[in-house]
Amino acid sequence: MELVPLGPGFGVEVKGVSMLDVASDAEAYKAVRAAFETHSLLVFRDQLIADDIQVAYSRAFGPLELTKVASLGANSFYSRLTNIGENGEIVPPDHRQVLVAQANALWHTDSSFKKTPALASVLTARVLPGADGDTEFTSTRLAWDRLPANLQGRLKDAVATHSYANSRDQIHPDLANAEERKALPPVRWRLNWRNPTNDRRALYVASHAYAIDGMDDRDARQLLAQLLDEATRREFVYVHKWRQGDAVMWDNRAMLHRGRPWDYTRERSMIRTTISATDADGLNEVKPPVLH
Ligand code: OGA
Ligand code: MN
């Protein structure tokens, strides 16, 4: 296995080991898992892209998440991100599926709004629009390291509230529907997530986060916006330009990502699988203390 550095201080292209190798060979899995813990973002090029290979690869890392209600692929292991509608047509630019893409264009980490947040996501390109539609990544581990010590101290045990509706409301008031609002009530997580394998902390923020325990709501929103802005400064971002055959995996504990816009009259179709966090991934620590 060879690891080729990609981003500013994070991310590698994995060469010499395929997704299929990881799915079928414990040694290959071990090596790739170690690279994941260290580098947070893995890019595989020229892969055989197929649903069952993607699931077999993802499953090696932990339990798979089921896609939430009202999403394409709901209740399956697959999350379909596409501007192709039910009848195979390109949907109009005001269609819910395009609004979903626009919500994905806000800096976020996947599933921080769920009762069990995500360890990792695996995204594969199925149909690319020919130009644009890049995906951008930044390391919240490095963002945490850049924070002044006094702010790290303040945020070490701080707890933020995340909700699905909070990010969708920034795009359109009806984008999160009644079913989603009901199924996905707000959840609370510590503002940093310690990786138990290497002790590195990462800032845990997202477009889904909006309140901080014990802080005035306006001050909290302002602080969260500042933390996001600082984490995602241009020089700290890796831009992934998709090619056919690409699979990208990221650590949702230590990365923010966003999809970039494209010409929505052209097809862009991607499939994501998502691995749930477990206690071995530090889930027990990101949970806030129980209040008595
Ligand atoms: C995702 C996501 C962005 C993109 O799959 O979780 O945010 O560029 N994707 O498709
Ligand atoms: Mn996402």
Short mmCIF file of all heavy atoms in Angstrom, two decimals, residues 104 108 110 250 257 272, ligand 2:
data_model
loop_
_atom_site.label_atom_id
_atom_site.label_comp_id
_atom_site.label_asym_id
_atom_site.label_seq_id
_atom_site.Cartn_x
_atom_site.Cartn_y
_atom_site.Cartn_z
N ASN A 104 -26.50 20.27 1.03
CA ASN A 104 -25.19 19.60 1.14
C ASN A 104 -24.04 20.55 0.82
O ASN A 104 -22.89 20.21 1.08
CB ASN A 104 -25.13 18.39 0.20
CG ASN A 104 -25.76 17.16 0.81
OD1 ASN A 104 -25.87 17.06 2.03
ND2 ASN A 104 -26.20 16.24 -0.03
N HIS A 108 -20.68 20.76 6.53
CA HIS A 108 -21.33 19.89 7.51
C HIS A 108 -20.52 18.63 7.74
O HIS A 108 -19.56 18.34 7.03
CB HIS A 108 -22.75 19.53 7.04
CG HIS A 108 -22.77 18.66 5.81
ND1 HIS A 108 -22.55 19.15 4.53
CD2 HIS A 108 -22.98 17.33 5.65
CE1 HIS A 108 -22.62 18.16 3.65
NE2 HIS A 108 -22.88 17.03 4.31
N ASP A 110 -21.62 14.47 8.35
CA ASP A 110 -22.83 13.68 8.14
C ASP A 110 -23.39 13.14 9.45
O ASP A 110 -22.64 12.66 10.31
CB ASP A 110 -22.54 12.50 7.19
CG ASP A 110 -22.27 12.98 5.77
OD1 ASP A 110 -22.80 14.03 5.38
OD2 ASP A 110 -21.50 12.29 5.06
N TRP A 250 -14.44 9.58 4.27
CA TRP A 250 -13.97 10.57 5.25
C TRP A 250 -14.45 10.23 6.65
O TRP A 250 -15.44 9.55 6.85
CB TRP A 250 -14.39 11.99 4.86
CG TRP A 250 -15.87 12.23 4.77
CD1 TRP A 250 -16.69 12.64 5.77
CD2 TRP A 250 -16.69 12.10 3.60
NE1 TRP A 250 -17.97 12.76 5.30
CE2 TRP A 250 -18.00 12.45 3.98
CE3 TRP A 250 -16.45 11.73 2.26
CZ2 TRP A 250 -19.07 12.45 3.07
CZ3 TRP A 250 -17.52 11.72 1.37
CH2 TRP A 250 -18.79 12.08 1.78
N HIS A 257 -17.28 18.74 5.33
CA HIS A 257 -17.28 18.67 3.87
C HIS A 257 -18.48 19.44 3.33
O HIS A 257 -19.44 19.73 4.06
CB HIS A 257 -17.30 17.22 3.38
CG HIS A 257 -18.55 16.46 3.74
ND1 HIS A 257 -18.77 15.93 4.98
CD2 HIS A 257 -19.66 16.16 3.01
CE1 HIS A 257 -19.94 15.33 5.01
NE2 HIS A 257 -20.51 15.46 3.84
N ARG A 272 -23.87 7.12 -1.48
CA ARG A 272 -23.14 7.16 -0.21
C ARG A 272 -23.55 5.99 0.67
O ARG A 272 -24.75 5.66 0.74
CB ARG A 272 -23.44 8.47 0.52
CG ARG A 272 -22.44 8.78 1.62
CD ARG A 272 -22.80 10.06 2.33
NE ARG A 272 -23.67 9.77 3.45
CZ ARG A 272 -24.46 10.66 4.02
NH1 ARG A 272 -24.53 11.89 3.58
NH2 ARG A 272 -25.20 10.31 5.05
MN MN B 2 -22.62 15.08 3.54
#
